[in-house]
């Protein structure tokens, strides 16, 4: 199975891939792309609510001046250049007023009107009039400061000491602590979620890219008729093994470069991450992710190579790769969904399931403590899957690689298995 | 001694029987021709011999034992449909294919350089394959076939697409290989090449071996009452002489004429001279392989493919 011929094929594949422009550019470009995606998101988030104009209307002067005092010193108003125009009027007057300024709201020269009725001092219900009233980011932002003003106003005439008042003003601070088998219970920030994102993205991109490259190269050999010459020297099984291992090692090297770079950057003193962004990534995690990835890659590349052998041009092959793409894309979305709550019932299954474990397990193990047996099981299950499906894949490869001409039907492919 | 023996090879694709019980023997130190029209089953037979296709039935025997894995390292194979890795460099390509055959190191490198010099490609050794002309790519392909010094060389339509000069170089090398005791199997539909180069042959038609043997044997068997004629003028009057002429086969450059009785050969010559035909060659009891081919496969050859056969033989060997 593993002999000098397979070795020669692996060596050629590596020479061809590792020093190719495509390899070097994707190795550099993909992390850059991820940074850009995160950057754009952050940018959109930070620009979305800048330079907004509001009218803040209350039913009595005292409340208005309390808002003026509170908001003029509030950080978010300064940072984002919000402009507030403070007015005092009754509910009836407000109705008339809204009619007058309707145009300003609809053409968005006025973002919205926040109306705090006197009744808010009892039920804390306020009203917001705008062209787009369902602005979650805005309501989250204004919630705290408005609450503070209302609390202050409510307790104004009651005898409370400042400490009690301070307590009443406070919102709830929801701090997450990660309970693991390690002795220490650590407060956890967003760092591990970011890490899970990074793992998910990198694994997903890499599977797609290496898979496509393998597909192209098998099709090239087939359509350029190279394969017949190669097969006069080696067995189809040897060629397939060599190609799969060559591509998988390429992927492993690339992933290794990415992950160790991340680890190096994060643990170095070049940059100091804010407390809530500290992420834990150590050699053990990286090595596990790489091992899990390598086995998964072998499995996926085997499928891509098989599909490549069935078709003799990339257009036809794209229909054949659809099912494999699904096996990559669905776990990608599962990995994203478990970032919200890693304890979802399907998270455990998906992180052990063949194919999907490649992407889901790294995300899951970053977020929660996964028992060691599950980590090992995920790899073993993929190995068993390889053992189960590769004989079939090899047969299809063996027959398909020599057949050119019209696009074969799936029923024909099934018949190849009997040859 | 037969070094290679093909026994009852059969290959079916769905319902089509591509090769049907093909058996032939390839003697030691000979050039063996596998001859047939396009689609007759030559390539399928060769692929089965190479272990590229698994035969449905039959086997290939090498010196008394069934061929196994090690046979592949001992064969140089030039497929009909050729291809190389376009992005690989010339020398790198040669060394890679030798490595697949288990040959590495300085020895092979030295030989690769020798062959490149012979084919006047040494200065292109660092070029990418895709930058070479088609003819030069074919030369590289041929070098990969013989670089590892195999005992057997299987060439599937080796001359297709080569210009006369390269055809000659290739022919020289094939003959040199023969002198060095290699067994060469040549599959072709170009019968003139086969006639001039092969010692033994098998004719395959519709997947079946319809004729086999040494060229000399076959010729003496078929040459009886046959005249191979090259001439200038008009010989259409011969059609009237049914009492002498049994059959006329026109192949353009030469004509084969079969007389009814052996004693009539002299009469035929006289008839031609009397009718003012300028005779360039008159070869009694000679027959071209072409005629044998047509005679064996003939009834099944439709006019179109007959035309293509004589059409393609035109290049001089």
């Amino acid at each position: 199975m593993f002999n000098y011929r397979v070795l020669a094929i692996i060596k050629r594949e590596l020479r061809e891939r590792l020093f190719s422009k495509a390899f070097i550019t994707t190795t550099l470009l993909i992390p850059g792309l991820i940074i850009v995606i995160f950057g754009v998101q952050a940018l959109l988030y930070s620009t979305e609510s800048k330079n907004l104009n509001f009218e803040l209307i209350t039913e009595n002067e005292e409340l208005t001046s309390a808002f003026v005092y509170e908001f003029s010193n509030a950080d978010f108003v300064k940072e984002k250049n919000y402009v507030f125009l403070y007015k005092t009027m009754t509910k009836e007057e407000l109705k008339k007023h809204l009619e007058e300024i309707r145009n300003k709201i609809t053409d968005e020269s006025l973002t919205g009107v926040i109306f705090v009725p006197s009744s808010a001092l009892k039920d804390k219900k306020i009203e917001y009039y705008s062209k787009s009233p369902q602005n979650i980011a805005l309501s989250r932002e204004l919630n705290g400061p408005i609450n503070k003003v209302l609390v202050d106003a409510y307790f104004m005439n009651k005898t409370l000491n400042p400490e009690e008042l301070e307590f009443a003003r406070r919102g709830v601070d929801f701090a997450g602590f990660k309970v693991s088998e390690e002795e220490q219970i650590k407060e956890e920030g967003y760092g591990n979620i970011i890490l899970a994102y990074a793992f998910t993205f990198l694994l997903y991109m890499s599977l797609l890219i290496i898979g496509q490259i393998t597909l192209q190269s098998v099709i090239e050999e087939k359509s350029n008729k190279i394969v017949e010459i190669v097969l006069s020297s080696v067995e189809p099984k040897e060629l397939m093994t060599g190609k799969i291992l060559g591509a998988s090692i390429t992927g492993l090297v690339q992933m290794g470069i990415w992950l160790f770079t991340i680890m190096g950057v994060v643990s170095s003193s070049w940059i100091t991450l804010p407390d809530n962004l500290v992420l834990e990534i150590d050699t053990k995690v990286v090595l596990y992710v790489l091992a899990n990835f390598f086995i998964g890659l072998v499995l996926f590349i085997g499928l891509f190579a098989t599909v490549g052998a069935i078709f003799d041009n990339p257009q036809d092959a794209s229909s054949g790769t659809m099912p494999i793409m699904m096996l990559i894309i669905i776990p990608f979305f599962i990995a994203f969904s478990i970032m919200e709550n890693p304890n979802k019932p399907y998270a455990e299954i998906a992180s052990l399931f063949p194919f999907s474990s490649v992407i889901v397990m790294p995300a899951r193990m970053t977020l929660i403590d996964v028992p060691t047996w599950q980590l090992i099981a995920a790899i073993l299950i993929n190995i068993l899957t390889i053992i189960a499906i590769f004989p079939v894949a090899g047969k299809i490869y063996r027959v398909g690689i020599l057949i050119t001409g019209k696009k074969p039907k799936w029923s024909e492919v099934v018949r190849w298995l009997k040859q | 001694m037969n070094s290679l023996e093909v026994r009852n090879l059969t290959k079916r694709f769905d319902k089509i029987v591509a090769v049907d019980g093909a058996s032939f023997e390839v003697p030691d130190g000979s050039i063996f021709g596998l001859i047939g029209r396009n689609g007759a089953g030559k390539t399928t037979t060769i692929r089965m011999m190479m272990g590229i296709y698994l035969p449905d039935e039959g086997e290939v025997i090498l010196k008394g034992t069934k061929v196994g894995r090690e046979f592949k390292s001992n064969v140089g194979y030039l497929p009909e449909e050729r291809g190389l890795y376009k992005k690989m460099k010339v020398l790198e390509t040669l060394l890679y294919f030798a490595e697949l055959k288990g040959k590495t190191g300085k020895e092979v490198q030295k030989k690769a350089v020798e062959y490149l010099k012979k084919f006047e490609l040494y200065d292109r050794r660092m070029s990418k394959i895709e930058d070479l002309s088609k003819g030069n790519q074919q030369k590289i392909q041929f070098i990969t076939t013989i670089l590892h010094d195999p005992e057997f060389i299987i060439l599937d339509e080796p001359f297709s697409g080569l210009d006369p000069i390269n055809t000659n170089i290739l022919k020289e090398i094939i003959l040199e290989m023969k002198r060095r005791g290699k067994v060469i199997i040549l599959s072709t539909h170009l019968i003139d090449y086969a006639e001039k180069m092969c010692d033994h042959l098998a004719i395959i038609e519709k997947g079946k071996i319809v004729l086999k043997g040494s060229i000399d044997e076959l010729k003496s068997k078929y040459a009886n009452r046959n005249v191979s004629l090259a001439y200038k003028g008009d010989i259409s009057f011969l059609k009237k002489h049914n009492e002498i002429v049994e059959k006329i086969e026109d192949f353009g450059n030469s004509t084969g004429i079969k007389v009814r009785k052996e004693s009539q050969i002299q009469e035929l010559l006289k008839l031609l001279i009397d009718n003012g035909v300028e005779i360039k060659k008159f070869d009694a009891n000679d027959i071209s392989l072409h005629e044998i081919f047509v005679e064996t496969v003939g009834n099944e050859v439709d006019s179109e493919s007959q035309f293509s056969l004589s059409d393609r033989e035109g290049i001089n060997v």
Side-chain angles (χ1 to χ4, degrees):
Chain A
M1 193 66 220
F2 200 79
N3 52 34
Y4 68 85
R5 291 180 289 270
V6 176
L7 212 62
I9 295 167
I10 294 176
K11 261 161 51 189
R12 197 198 81 85
E13 293 286 325
L14 291 181
R15 258 201 313 270
E16 183 133 301
R17 310 251 167 281
L18 289 181
F19 302 112
S20 71
K21 273 184 213 136
F23 180 82
I24 294 165
T25 41
T26 52
T27 306
L28 297 176
L29 220 65
I30 297 293
L33 192 73
I34 291 174
I35 291 168
V36 168
I37 289 172
F38 278 119
V40 167
Q41 254 178 5
L43 195 72
L44 288 177
Y45 189 77
S46 62
T47 54
E48 78 181 340
S49 45
K50 262 187 182 166
N51 303 319
L52 301 184
N53 284 312
F54 298 98
E55 284 191 3
L56 202 156
I57 300 172
T58 72
E59 282 189 302
N60 69 66
E61 301 270 354
E62 272 170 44
L63 208 49
T64 307
S65 50
F67 274 114
V68 173
Y69 177 75
E70 180 63 33
F71 276 29
S72 55
N73 291 318
D75 287 341
F76 77 95
V77 178
K78 284 182 207 155
E79 268 171 32
K80 298 192 170 174
N81 297 325
Y82 286 178
V83 178
F84 283 95
L85 196 63
Y86 304 94
K87 287 183 178 159
T88 312
M89 58 182 76
T90 61
K91 182 108 186 174
E92 280 69 36
E93 285 168 323
L94 174 73
K95 274 181 192 159
K96 249 166 69 194
H97 178 63
L98 282 174
E99 283 305 318
E100 285 161 17
I101 59 167
R102 181 189 289 270
N103 285 341
K104 281 169 97 180
I105 294 177
T106 49
D107 70 14
E108 290 182 39
S109 56
L110 184 63
T111 314
V113 175
I114 301 161
F115 180 61
V116 185
S118 300
S119 61
L121 284 170
K122 287 186 184 111
D123 56 14
K124 288 199 181 171
K125 279 186 180 157
I126 63 168
E127 290 161 16
Y128 178 55
Y129 299 86
S130 166
K131 198 181 176 187
S132 49
Q134 299 304 336
N135 189 330
I136 295 168
L138 184 70
S139 77
R140 198 185 290 155
E141 228 160 35
L142 292 180
N143 197 314
I146 293 175
N147 188 43
K148 194 171 170 229
V149 172
L150 291 177
V151 168
D152 281 354
Y154 183 80
F155 289 110
M156 183 82 84
N157 303 318
K158 305 190 167 75
T159 46
L160 281 175
N161 64 38
E163 273 169 40
E164 286 169 311
L165 195 57
E166 186 58 35
F167 175 77
R169 279 171 174 173
R170 271 222 144 122
V172 172
D173 183 0
F174 201 93
F177 289 86
K178 182 168 179 172
V179 180
S180 65
E181 280 163 15
E182 288 167 45
E183 270 177 44
Q184 236 182 330
I185 292 179
K186 279 175 276 187
E187 181 165 3
E188 187 172 75
Y190 297 107
N192 285 348
I193 289 191
I194 289 172
L195 187 62
Y197 265 108
F199 276 153
T200 307
F201 256 114
L202 291 175
L203 292 167
Y204 169 77
M205 296 299 278
S206 184
L207 283 177
L208 286 185
I209 291 170
I210 306 280
Q212 283 302 326
I213 288 175
T214 311
L215 186 76
Q216 299 297 342
S217 114
V218 172
I219 292 175
E220 186 211 355
E221 279 178 0
K222 191 177 163 170
S223 58
N224 284 355
K225 319 286 181 195
I226 302 163
V227 73
E228 192 168 352
I229 298 172
V230 178
L231 289 187
S232 75
S233 306
V234 307
E235 297 295 324
K237 208 192 282 177
E238 292 167 342
L239 175 60
M240 195 180 178
T241 309
K243 288 203 83 74
I244 292 173
L245 288 180
S248 301
I249 293 169
T250 310
L252 186 69
V253 169
Q254 189 168 57
M255 190 58 68
I257 292 173
W258 288 339
L259 296 189
F260 281 112
T261 308
I262 293 178
M263 199 179 92
V265 170
V266 165
S267 57
S268 77
S269 48
W270 306 336
I271 52 161
T272 21
L273 290 164
D275 273 352
N276 65 344
L277 289 181
V278 168
L279 39 94
E280 289 167 53
I281 175 168
D282 59 28
T283 322
K284 260 189 272 170
V285 173
V286 170
L287 289 180
Y288 175 78
V289 172
L290 287 178
N292 184 50
F293 173 65
F294 182 72
I295 298 298
L297 202 53
V298 169
L299 180 57
F300 273 109
I301 296 303
L303 295 188
F304 275 109
T306 308
V307 169
I310 297 173
F311 303 96
D312 62 4
N313 64 73
Q315 288 77 28
D316 289 348
S318 67
S319 69
T321 50
M322 267 322 276
I324 312 176
M325 294 301 212
M326 283 298 139
L327 288 176
I328 298 175
I329 293 168
I330 292 170
F332 176 66
F333 285 114
I334 292 177
F336 266 99
S337 82
I338 69 169
M339 284 173 209
E340 240 170 61
N341 174 7
N343 291 316
K344 283 182 179 158
Y346 57 78
E348 193 167 343
I349 299 167
S351 67
L352 290 171
F353 203 77
F355 300 104
S356 71
S357 60
V358 184
I359 292 179
V360 179
M361 186 55 97
R364 182 166 166 248
M365 69 183 284
T366 343
L367 299 171
I368 60 168
D369 264 4
V370 176
T372 313
W373 73 263
Q374 285 195 3
L375 295 179
I376 296 165
I379 292 181
L380 281 181
I381 289 169
N382 271 342
I383 290 177
L384 289 177
T385 313
I386 288 173
I387 294 171
I389 66 173
F390 270 37
V392 178
K395 254 184 179 171
I396 295 176
Y397 183 88
R398 175 181 188 112
V399 178
I401 197 94
L402 286 165
I403 292 179
T404 49
K406 76 177 193 6
K407 185 178 167 185
K409 297 193 192 87
W410 289 109
S411 59
E412 285 172 63
V413 176
V414 172
R415 236 174 303 151
W416 295 352
L417 293 175
K418 292 172 195 153
Q419 281 193 23
Chain B
M1 164 98 190
N2 294 332
S3 54
L4 199 62
E5 213 176 308
V6 168
R7 282 189 198 157
N8 195 32
L9 279 185
T10 301
K11 182 76 184 171
R12 294 178 204 94
F13 295 109
D14 287 332
K15 278 159 198 154
I16 303 155
V17 186
V19 176
D20 189 357
S23 298
F24 54 84
E25 300 78 35
V26 181
D28 246 344
S30 70
I31 300 184
F32 181 90
L34 185 61
I35 297 166
R37 291 188 283 154
N38 295 325
K42 300 185 295 283
T43 299
T44 308
T45 305
I46 285 176
R47 282 181 175 180
M48 282 192 281
M49 291 170 72
M50 290 302 307
I52 295 173
Y53 282 155
L54 297 175
D56 293 326
E57 283 163 42
E59 54 194 359
V60 180
I61 306 290
L62 173 68
K63 292 183 174 121
T65 50
K66 206 173 160 182
V67 298
R69 182 50 278 231
E70 70 288 347
F71 180 61
K72 280 192 178 180
S73 306
N74 225 342
V75 185
Y77 174 46
L78 181 73
E80 181 180 7
E81 296 189 281
R82 287 144 214 186
L84 294 166
Y85 293 103
K86 287 183 187 157
K87 303 274 175 205
M88 259 174 119
K89 289 178 181 139
V90 168
L91 190 59
E92 198 187 3
T93 301
L94 295 179
L95 296 178
Y96 173 61
F97 283 107
E99 195 180 354
L100 287 182
K101 299 282 191 187
K103 292 273 166 80
T104 48
K106 285 214 171 92
E107 195 72 6
V108 182
Q109 194 140 6
K110 219 177 93 193
K111 262 177 90 179
V113 169
E114 261 171 46
Y115 276 118
L116 285 175
K117 281 180 177 159
K118 195 168 195 166
F119 282 98
E120 295 171 345
L121 279 169
Y122 181 65
D123 52 338
R124 303 301 302 273
R125 68 192 181 283
M126 297 314 274
S127 305
K128 282 185 180 170
I129 295 288
E130 63 185 352
D131 296 331
L132 297 184
S133 71
K134 214 168 166 220
N136 282 341
Q137 288 187 21
Q138 290 211 18
K139 290 186 197 168
I140 299 299
Q141 190 103 54
F142 185 71
I143 300 175
T144 65
T145 311
I146 55 174
L147 181 58
H148 60 291
D149 199 23
E151 239 178 283
F152 298 89
I153 298 163
I154 300 183
L155 309 168
D156 197 355
E157 303 284 4
F159 303 109
S160 71
L162 283 185
D163 62 43
I165 291 169
N166 285 324
T167 302
N168 253 332
I169 296 177
L170 182 55
K171 204 190 75 187
E172 284 306 315
I173 289 178
I174 293 174
L175 292 176
E176 192 203 313
M177 290 285 163
K178 185 195 164 185
R179 281 194 291 277
R180 285 169 52 194
K182 313 282 178 193
V183 178
I184 295 143
I185 298 170
L186 195 72
S187 139
T188 183
H189 68 280
L190 304 176
I191 294 173
D192 277 9
Y193 288 97
E195 177 164 12
K196 284 173 186 154
M197 296 180 70
C198 297
D199 311 301
H200 290 77
L201 62 87
I203 296 178
I204 186 168
E205 171 67 10
K206 293 195 172 160
K208 288 191 171 123
I209 302 291
V210 290
L211 191 74
K212 61 186 174 188
S214 83
I215 295 243
D216 294 343
E217 264 169 45
L218 292 174
K219 278 200 170 182
S220 61
K221 190 174 154 200
Y222 279 81
N224 217 3
R225 294 188 284 123
N226 202 79
V227 172
S228 183
L229 176 74
Y231 67 95
K232 211 169 161 188
D234 183 15
I235 59 164
S236 57
F237 64 87
L238 284 177
K239 282 177 189 158
K240 285 180 237 154
H241 297 271
N242 278 332
E243 75 288 354
I244 299 177
V245 178
E246 187 182 306
K247 204 165 74 178
I248 301 177
E249 293 280 356
D250 191 353
F251 300 108
N253 293 344
S254 81
T255 304
I257 302 173
K258 196 153 204 163
V259 293
R260 296 207 176 267
K261 283 184 234 152
E262 212 167 340
S263 58
Q264 288 172 325
I265 287 178
Q266 298 304 313
E267 276 176 65
L268 175 70
L269 181 60
K270 186 167 181 296
L271 204 60
L272 287 167
I273 293 169
D274 291 350
N275 279 278
V277 176
E278 189 185 323
I279 294 169
K280 303 202 160 162
K281 189 185 110 185
F282 186 90
D283 212 336
N285 290 333
D286 187 29
I287 189 164
S288 69
L289 188 55
H290 209 137
E291 286 164 83
I292 298 177
F293 185 86
V294 173
E295 207 168 315
T296 339
V297 186
N299 347 344
E300 318 220 6
V301 180
D302 50 279
S303 58
E304 195 188 330
S305 57
Q306 206 173 4
F307 174 75
S308 80
L309 273 174
S310 48
D311 192 38
R312 282 182 187 164
E313 69 181 343
I315 312 158
N316 278 325
V317 184

